[in-house]
Amino acid sequence: MTTARDVMHRGCECLRINDSLAEAARRMAELNVGSLPVCDENGQLKGIVTDRDIVVKCTAKNKNPAEVKAGDLIEAPVRSIDANADIDEVLHQMAKHKIRRMPVLENKELIGIISQADLAAKLPQNKVGELMEAISATSR
């Protein structure tokens, strides 16, 4: 059985709720990633900020990324999955909620994240294709 742990990207870094979006963008560029999880002062996952969030919810609205905090963009609830969840459950949850990145938790602690690229590299093409179609489908 393939689990979330088997396909996740390990060692993801967290933004803090009070980190600015300018800091978020700098760290994304430095790490060559398009998103970062946002954690509270206790290290608990609170949300995810994407590069698209920074553009659409901040820059496009003429807000200053140095003044807007990562916590201002997170929307509850954040969807996550247990590290031991079967990959079919991961795919189901990502498709159901139309999410492109799934944080992976173990004992309520963030230990990794699963992106579409992780799935594409580690799963059969037909499973990945079905997920991409479900996520990308627009509601009618």
Side-chain angles (χ1 to χ4, degrees), residues 31-130:
L31 296 168
N32 195 30
V33 297
S35 68
L36 285 169
V38 179
C39 297
D40 66 15
E41 56 280 346
N42 298 317
Q44 295 296 303
L45 178 67
K46 296 299 177 188
I48 295 178
V49 170
T50 67
D51 49 6
R52 186 174 193 282
D53 289 335
I54 295 169
V55 171
V56 173
K57 297 177 182 177
C58 179
T59 308
K61 293 185 178 180
N62 293 320
K63 295 180 181 177
N64 183 344
E67 295 174 358
V68 179
K69 306 296 182 200
D72 296 339
L73 296 191
I74 56 177
E75 299 172 3
V78 61
R79 306 268 181 213
S80 62
I81 196 119
D82 186 80
N84 295 317
D86 183 77
I87 196 62
D88 287 331
E89 180 62 17
V90 173
L91 294 171
H92 172 75
Q93 291 299 318
M94 290 178 79
K96 177 181 176 183
H97 300 291
K98 296 185 182 276
I99 55 177
R100 300 173 191 277
R101 298 160 185 90
M102 177 69 77
V104 180
L105 304 180
E106 184 172 61
N107 300 320
K108 298 183 182 180
E109 185 176 322
L110 180 67
I111 63 165
I113 195 161
I114 298 172
S115 69
Q116 289 177 320
D118 297 321
L119 296 170
K122 297 177 182 173
L123 294 180
Q125 186 176 9
N126 64 323
K127 283 193 177 222
V128 176
E130 291 169 14

